[in-house]
Amino acid sequence: MAASKTTESISWQKADKVSKELLLSSKKREKDLGLALAIAIRTGLRKSDLLSLRIENIKEGKVTGKASKTGKDFGHPIPDWLIDEIHKNQYLGNVYSTTYSHMWLNRSVQRVFPAEYARALKNGKTIGAHSLRKAFGLRLYEAYGVNAARQGLQHSDSATTARYLEIPAIEQEKKQAELFG
C-alpha cells in the first residue's frame, strides 16, 4: 500500500479571497464551493463534518455540532455576512455528503488553487479540503500561539498541533517565550 501524501496548507488570505470570488458566481455549485471554503477556513472543520452540516447547525452566530472523528462538541463563531450568505443561497439545506462528495470537494480545491496544487505536487504533497483546516490552524497559531490552534483544531495536546501544522521546534519555543514573557 502506498503512503498517503501529506496535505499542504493554503494561505488563509488567498482562501478567503477565492471563497468570496466564488460567491459572486451565477452557478450554484460555485457559490456552494465558495460557502464551503468560507466556512472551512473560519471553523477548521474536517471535511466529513463540513459536508454533513445542516442549517440547524447555525446557532447564535456559530457553527455548532459534534465532530465525527472525536465525538467532541464544537462551536465556532462565523460572521453575520456568512450566515446571511448561507441562508440566501440555501446552503446546508440538503444532504451535502451525497450531493457534494468528499472527492468533489478535494478536486474543487485543487481546481480553484492551481498554483498551490502545482507547488504541493512539486514538493511531494497535495492539497484538498484538509488544506483549509490547516489554514485555519495556522491563522490561529500566528495570531494567538500554539495553544489557541490546539483548542481550535480540537487536538489533545500542543505537540500534535505543532506536528500537524509543521511548526519547527525553534518556532514553537519562540512563540511560547512571547506568550509567557
Side-chain angles (χ1 to χ4, degrees), residues 4 13 26 28 36 38 47 60 88-89 91 105 139 177 181:
S4 64
Q13 292 81 1
S26 61
K28 174 129 176 67
K47 180 173 43 176
E60 299 174 10
K88 182 172 80 176
N89 291 292
Y91 185 70
L105 187 54
R139 179 112 167 143

Side-chain angles (χ1 to χ4, degrees), residues 3-34:
S4 64
K5 291 182 178 181
T6 302
T7 304
E8 196 164 283
S9 181
I10 295 169
S11 153
W12 191 94
Q13 292 81 1
K14 175 79 183 268
D16 185 47
K17 180 180 180 222
V18 169
S19 71
K20 288 176 179 173
E21 289 169 358
L22 289 166
L23 286 172
L24 298 175
S25 173
S26 61
K27 299 177 183 174
K28 174 129 176 67
R29 285 179 75 87
E30 294 297 288
K31 284 184 187 246
D32 284 349
L33 177 59

Side-chain angles (χ1 to χ4, degrees), residues 29-171:
R29 285 179 75 87
E30 294 297 288
K31 284 184 187 246
D32 284 349
L33 177 59
L35 286 165
L37 297 178
I39 294 168
I41 64 170
R42 286 170 174 79
T43 63
L45 291 178
R46 290 178 179 89
K47 180 173 43 176
S48 57
D49 296 327
L50 181 65
L51 291 172
S52 63
L53 286 177
R54 303 291 176 273
I55 206 71
E56 301 83 47
N57 295 106
I58 309 298
K59 296 177 184 168
E60 299 174 10
K62 292 183 178 183
V63 174
T64 62
K66 188 175 289 277
S68 59
K69 181 176 179 180
T70 64
K72 295 178 183 176
D73 290 331
F74 60 81
H76 297 284
I78 59 173
D80 291 339
W81 70 263
L82 184 52
I83 294 170
D84 293 344
E85 286 290 332
I86 289 167
H87 289 292
K88 182 172 80 176
N89 291 292
Q90 299 178 348
Y91 185 70
L92 307 179
N94 296 318
V95 180
Y96 281 106
S97 58
T98 57
T99 305
Y100 297 131
S101 69
H102 293 249
M103 187 178 292
W104 168 81
L105 187 54
N106 279 337
R107 287 183 177 165
S108 295
V109 168
Q110 293 164 356
R111 176 178 54 85
V112 298
F113 297 101
E116 292 79 359
Y117 185 44
R119 184 186 68 238
L121 290 175
K122 185 177 176 183
N123 295 330
K125 296 182 178 186
T126 191
I127 66 168
H130 212 73
S131 300
L132 305 169
R133 179 171 162 77
K134 282 189 172 185
F136 167 80
L138 284 168
R139 179 112 167 143
L140 282 177
Y141 168 72
E142 290 165 359
Y144 304 110
V146 71
N147 195 45
R150 178 194 66 75
Q151 289 174 340
L153 294 167
Q154 294 190 321
H155 287 160
S156 58
D157 58 65
S158 296
T160 300
T161 304
R163 259 190 328 276
Y164 176 77
L165 297 177
E166 302 176 33
I167 302 168
I170 296 170
E171 183 73 16

